[in-house]
Amino acid sequence: MTRNQDAIEDSIERAAESVGSVWPLHSFVTANPLSGFEDQPFADAVAEGERLFGGRGYPQPAVFRQAWEDGRIDPDRLAAELDAHGISDDPESLLDEMETASQQGADVDPATEAVDRVLSKWLAAFVDEGRAEWPMPNREDGFYAAWRTLAPHDDEIPGCHSPADLPETASAALETSLSEYPQDRWELLFEHHLAALPGWTGFVKQRADRDGAWQNAAPVTLLDYLAVRLTLCDLLDAPVEPDRDETSVDEDVPLPEVWLTAWEQTYRDRLLDGIDQSVSDSSSTETDPRPAAQLVFCIDTRSEVIRRHVEAAGPYETHGYAGFFGVPMRFQGYDSKAESDACPPIVDPEHRVTDEPNGTHQNARATHDRWTNLVAATQKHLKSLKSNLAAAFTFVEGGGGAYGAALTARTLLPSAVASASNAVDDRVPKPAEFCTPTVEHEPGAHGDGDLQQGMTFEERVTYAENAFDLMGWTEFARLVVFTGHASETTNNPFGSSLDCGACAGNPGGSNARVLATICNDDEVQSALRDRGFDVPDDTVFLAAEHNTTTDEITLFDGDVPESHQADIERLREDLEDARAAATAERVESMPTGGAADAVSETERRTADWAETRPEWGLAGNASFVIGPRGLTEDQNLDGRTFLHSYDWTTDAEGDALEAIMTGPLVVTQWINSQYYFATVDNAVYGSGSKTTQNPTGNVGVLQGNGGDLMTGLPLQSLNVDDDQPYHQPLRLTAVIHAPVERVTDVLRKHEEVAELFDNGWLSLTVLDPQHDEPFHYQGGLEWEPTLATPVVQ
């Protein structure tokens, strides 16, 4: 490698920090679109986003006006913030000022538009992940090499008649394009061109970093991308270097941020008003009756709603834990031909786990196989008829009537379709009924990427111990239910965005089943007792999955002993009551309003292929509470709060708190940031209206028939209508129930976490159980002086 090549690659690596990673649509992972600027104050990062991507970083003035008129911004809080920044005008005048402030969009050079259009077309063809019937040839050679071979056949590219007209390699192409520019300008130049199509470059960045099966089959790098782009700039006579008049960052806090901060403080004040700070520190005491069951849900905001109603339905405890249940694995289901990561993107999978028949319930397995084989054969036959040139026309003529009838039923009678589908599903046994996850370690067995097959005994004990440690458990019910979650929708490209983010956009039931399998092992329980977790002999662990679209909770109880069947039946009945109450609450929040039968309405939404809002997902998220359930169990948090169980009294060294703050807290900030930015500027940081989206290559969506890969959530996931947001764009408020010194120690140890608070990406309040008043973090490991006094013990 030449010195120039080293310098080019170094410049690309630094420039790429400005572009966030984008995951494929089939495994949608939420991410902060301005993650490359989290080391800067929020206002500066917003300015960088506007400079590079042309994106708005604060809510529209109309959104602030609506919040002000609705009383969501406290006048005293706003007055204090305005005074702190030397602003004396009255709120109405300031709202008018923000509305009249124009934001001029930069004119785009026609030649640059042509480069974007041509490059997007070739990227879509190259990165296709199994959608195209006739894939782009030569993909195994890499993006630049494949494009170089085919570019002479593209009528939109002038002056290119043979591959010999183009540099032979991507590195040579970049060296040629950069020959006129000094090396100290390369990074800025690369940053400009990576930001031109941040969706595509973010996807390339993620795919190259992950180095999975599709990357091995069709390798693409940011160096390839830049080589093609700069070569196209030369051929299409487009400018290579960005405008030298870079936007400077204003040292004053922008007026919209002052309003945003006041709105966030008002929300925080009202959240804290409802929290019971006198709650007992331990999760249960000797005087508390033993609950009939303990259900562990994902910290997902949708769990807050169903948890309230489960607790109201019977003598049950609910707890919050990251939905991958602490097991970093890659999972392959019984029916699946592919493996999928089942852990957050900040965690590398360490184990390969497969679902294997356990030798019981053979009739159920036979029925399942017979049905699924029939469905698979039918689908394969229909696909071959539709894609075969010779059969396509006759197939359309012959099958038109059947397809027309099905289309009519799905359009006009979605409820009937849902009922029929549910009836079929109820008759076909699920793999969970006759399979068990292979959690035991198999020496010498490996999956993709040489992952270890299963887990050693010590690893299994550790995963169970970590779960109980982080939640602060000391007592166990007869039934302990690890409850993953998944969504159910039809004709929804963003379906995976409604599944479990902690499981990389996949359903969480498999993770719940893995942890339940681990915890039911007698030897694991014996080891846990030696480590201080006194698991009673009559405690049975099982898994479940919460359907967030319908609020149905399915229990995977095939191996529960006869002694606990009555407990299971009682729980199942109470879960149905909780479902009815939760769906009634959630349906009321949908644009269509309430329904006479909320359960039926949610089931209709799963089957209606014209439904643009099957559920709200995590829209509305605004806070993250880390502490015992007693803090919030009497409060309706309206599905806006992530809830993670934590008991500081069982965490003497602070290790559990450290794990929560460096893991789930960081991920929830990503989620919150994506919802925030997609709401304030959906055209840039979201993906626009679903009605004009086109899925491409099984990797993402485009608006219209080309252009950049859209990176965020669609308009319908955030807004009630075109102009009225449902999601309130607030930065995350974190509340931790723990000694303030312990939280400070974590921040001191992990600068990357402290940096998020210091730079205003989220706020932090600590409810110190040894003091009467909360502590608000001010940055630099300093806390707001309060009237807090030690609690008299």
Side-chain angles (χ1 to χ4, degrees):
M1 183 178 291
T2 67
R3 181 177 299 178
N4 260 3
Q5 289 174 320
D6 280 337
I8 287 172
E9 292 196 1
D10 288 344
S11 297
I12 292 174
E13 185 175 350
R14 291 192 300 270
E17 293 177 2
S18 300
V19 179
S21 295
V22 176
W23 275 260
L25 202 58
H26 58 75
S27 185
F28 190 92
V29 173
T30 53
N32 180 3
L34 298 185
S35 59
F37 305 109
E38 287 179 346
D39 60 342
Q40 300 181 26
F42 186 80
D44 295 353
V46 163
E48 287 293 304
E50 182 177 350
R51 175 181 69 85
L52 283 173
F53 313 123
R56 183 183 184 88
Y58 294 105
Q60 294 280 358
V63 174
F64 283 128
R65 183 180 294 278
Q66 189 66 55
W68 173 250
E69 293 175 352
D70 290 345
R72 295 199 295 270
I73 302 177
D74 181 75
D76 292 336
R77 278 294 186 186
L78 179 62
E81 279 298 306
L82 292 173
D83 184 63
H85 294 90
I87 302 172
S88 57
D89 293 349
D90 65 274
E92 289 296 334
S93 298
L94 294 173
L95 287 169
D96 291 340
E97 177 185 331
M98 285 192 288
E99 286 180 349
T100 56
S102 60
Q103 189 176 31
Q104 298 294 332
D107 295 330
V108 180
D109 181 79
T112 299
E113 286 186 326
V115 170
D116 291 344
R117 182 179 65 254
V118 173
L119 181 52
S120 297
K121 173 182 65 179
W122 284 103
L123 282 165
F126 184 85
V127 302
D128 175 85
E129 296 189 356
R131 178 71 66 183
E133 292 292 338
W134 296 336
M136 178 179 171
N138 305 319
R139 293 200 299 168
E140 66 278 1
D141 296 333
F143 179 52
Y144 179 82
W147 173 80
R148 178 175 179 268
T149 302
L150 298 174
H153 303 284
D154 188 342
D155 292 339
E156 290 190 276
I157 303 178
C160 179
H161 307 291
S162 165
D165 294 335
L166 302 171
E168 188 171 351
T169 66
S171 295
L174 277 181
E175 289 196 41
T176 300
S177 299
L178 295 171
S179 59
E180 299 179 9
Y181 302 96
Q183 185 172 322
D184 61 1
R185 294 288 293 173
W186 289 358
E187 182 180 337
L188 183 63
L189 188 150
F190 289 151
E191 182 186 63
H192 168 73
H193 285 281
L194 291 174
L197 295 173
W200 283 119
T201 54
F203 176 75
V204 170
K205 177 181 178 180
Q206 180 275 145
R207 183 151 133 171
D209 287 344
R210 187 174 182 274
D211 195 27
W214 283 110
Q215 176 68 358
N216 292 329
V220 58
T221 64
L222 292 177
L223 188 147
D224 285 331
Y225 165 87
L226 288 166
V228 174
R229 182 174 183 88
L230 295 184
T231 301
L232 285 172
C233 286
D234 179 55
L235 294 171
L236 295 170
D237 198 24
V240 171
E241 193 170 23
D243 189 342
R244 290 181 180 272
D245 295 329
E246 302 297 339
T247 303
S248 60
V249 175
D250 193 340
E251 294 183 1
D252 293 331
V253 174
L255 180 58
E257 178 148 337
V258 175
W259 277 79
L260 178 63
T261 301
W263 188 358
E264 291 164 344
Q265 290 176 343
T266 304
Y267 171 79
R268 181 192 66 190
D269 292 343
R270 293 171 183 175
L271 173 68
L272 295 177
D273 284 345
I275 286 180
D276 181 6
Q277 296 185 52
S278 65
V279 64
S280 172
D281 297 320
S282 58
S283 57
S284 60
T285 68
E286 294 181 1
T287 60
D288 290 336
R290 188 185 187 191
Q294 294 162 309
L295 293 92
V296 183
F297 289 86
C298 181
I299 63 174
D300 188 289
T301 56
R302 291 166 291 184
S303 298
E304 186 273 327
V305 178
I306 192 66
R307 285 177 63 178
R308 276 190 281 111
H309 294 292
V310 168
E311 291 164 350
Y316 305 119
E317 282 183 2
T318 70
H319 300 264
Y321 189 46
F324 76 114
F325 295 102
V327 183
M329 68 178 190
R330 185 167 294 158
F331 185 77
Q332 183 171 7
Y334 174 72
D335 290 325
S336 177
K337 296 181 180 179
E339 301 175 353
S340 59
D341 288 353
C343 54
I346 61 172
V347 176
D348 293 326
E350 298 178 16
H351 313 281
R352 179 177 181 265
V353 177
T354 57
D355 227 1
E356 301 292 343
N358 53 27
T360 61
H361 309 290
Q362 291 295 332
N363 290 337
R365 180 188 176 187
T367 301
H368 173 88
D369 289 349
R370 188 164 53 249
W371 175 256
T372 54
N373 289 340
L374 175 62
V375 171
T378 302
Q379 291 175 337
K380 182 178 180 180
H381 181 62
L382 291 176
K383 182 177 180 180
S384 65
L385 289 174
K386 288 188 288 185
S387 59
N388 188 294
L389 287 177
F393 292 102
T394 55
F395 172 74
V396 169
E397 292 292 335
Y403 272 86
L407 184 152
T408 301
R410 292 178 67 183
T411 303
L412 302 179
L413 303 169
S415 295
V417 172
S419 298
S421 177
N422 290 338
V424 172
D425 286 344
D426 290 341
R427 295 177 64 87
V428 180
K430 307 297 188 296
E433 298 179 31
F434 54 84
C435 289
T436 300
T438 57
V439 298
E440 293 189 12
H441 177 51
E442 297 181 21
H446 298 279
D448 289 345
D450 292 328
L451 287 180
Q452 169 185 301
Q453 179 70 43
M455 294 155 252
T456 65
F457 175 75
E458 180 61 29
E459 287 170 334
R460 299 200 302 276
V461 174
T462 298
Y463 291 136
E465 180 185 19
N466 288 344
F468 301 143
D469 258 342
L470 262 65
M471 291 186 289
W473 274 18
T474 56
E475 302 291 336
F476 297 84
R478 278 174 58 83
L479 293 177
V480 175
V481 187
F482 300 117
T483 310
H485 66 95
S487 66
E488 181 184 2
T489 59
T490 300
N491 189 33
N492 182 16
F494 288 87
S496 66
S497 73
L498 299 175
D499 284 334
C500 183
C503 301
N506 294 295
S510 57
N511 296 71
R513 291 175 58 222
V514 167
L515 187 55
T517 300
I518 291 172
C519 291
N520 274 325
D521 187 300
D522 291 339
E523 294 183 2
V524 169
Q525 290 188 16
S526 178
L528 288 172
R529 293 185 187 103
D530 292 339
R531 301 185 185 192
F533 297 99
D534 188 15
V535 181
D537 292 336
D538 67 344
T539 292
V540 172
F541 298 88
L542 67 153
E545 191 167 79
H546 171 213
N547 183 327
T548 56
T549 315
T550 67
D551 277 317
E552 179 182 16
I553 297 178
T554 301
L555 298 175
F556 303 134
D557 58 334
D559 295 323
V560 172
E562 184 65 30
S563 59
H564 288 62
Q565 288 303 316
D567 302 85
I568 288 289
E569 289 308 312
R570 178 185 176 186
L571 175 60
R572 184 175 281 111
E573 291 175 3
D574 289 339
L575 290 178
E576 281 301 308
D577 292 340
R579 176 192 185 187
T583 54
E585 177 180 330
R586 291 201 306 105
V587 166
E588 190 68 34
S589 70
M590 303 303 289
T592 53
D597 185 347
V599 171
S600 296
E601 169 61 12
T602 58
E603 290 179 342
R604 177 197 68 78
R605 290 178 178 276
T606 68
D608 190 346
W609 66 350
E611 180 58 68
T612 56
R613 295 179 182 86
E615 59 160 287
W616 278 121
L618 285 83
N621 74 83
S623 55
F624 185 17
V625 176
I626 302 169
R629 175 58 172 153
L631 288 173
T632 57
E633 64 182 345
D634 295 327
Q635 186 177 9
N636 180 348
L637 298 172
D638 201 27
R640 303 188 65 191
T641 304
F642 300 95
L643 295 172
H644 199 302
S645 297
Y646 173 71
D647 183 352
W648 73 278
T649 64
T650 65
D651 183 32
E653 301 300 321
D655 294 338
L657 180 62
E658 180 180 357
I660 295 170
M661 291 181 65
T662 56
L665 179 59
V666 173
V667 173
T668 54
Q669 185 265 328
W670 290 359
I671 295 170
N672 173 265
S673 291
Q674 182 167 68
Y675 272 83
Y676 173 90
F677 285 108
T679 301
V680 300
D681 194 335
N682 195 258
V684 174
Y685 298 123
S687 57
S689 174
K690 285 184 176 182
T691 59
T692 52
Q693 288 175 351
N694 277 319
T696 182
N698 203 31
V699 299
V701 298
L702 307 175
Q703 272 295 336
N705 63 357
D708 195 15
L709 197 68
M710 306 304 288
T711 61
L713 296 157
L715 194 67
Q716 287 83 359
S717 293
L718 306 160
N719 278 26
V720 175
D721 53 38
D722 288 347
D723 301 317
Q724 182 181 356
Y726 172 81
H727 177 71
Q728 297 179 33
L730 303 177
R731 292 168 294 186
L732 192 72
T733 294
V735 178
I736 301 176
H737 185 257
V740 69
E741 295 84 1
R742 186 173 297 178
V743 178
T744 304
D745 288 342
V746 175
L747 296 178
R748 183 180 294 111
K749 184 177 179 180
H750 295 276
E751 294 181 4
E752 72 284 0
V753 177
E755 196 172 64
L756 294 173
F757 295 107
D758 291 341
N759 288 327
W761 291 92
L762 69 169
S763 64
L764 174 60
T765 295
V766 168
L767 304 178
D768 191 325
Q770 300 171 326
H771 291 80
D772 289 330
E773 298 294 332
F775 289 84
H776 302 308
Y777 185 69
Q778 299 299 294
L781 303 182
E782 297 293 332
W783 300 87
E784 180 182 36
T786 68
L787 298 178
T789 56
V791 174
V792 177
Q793 299 293 331

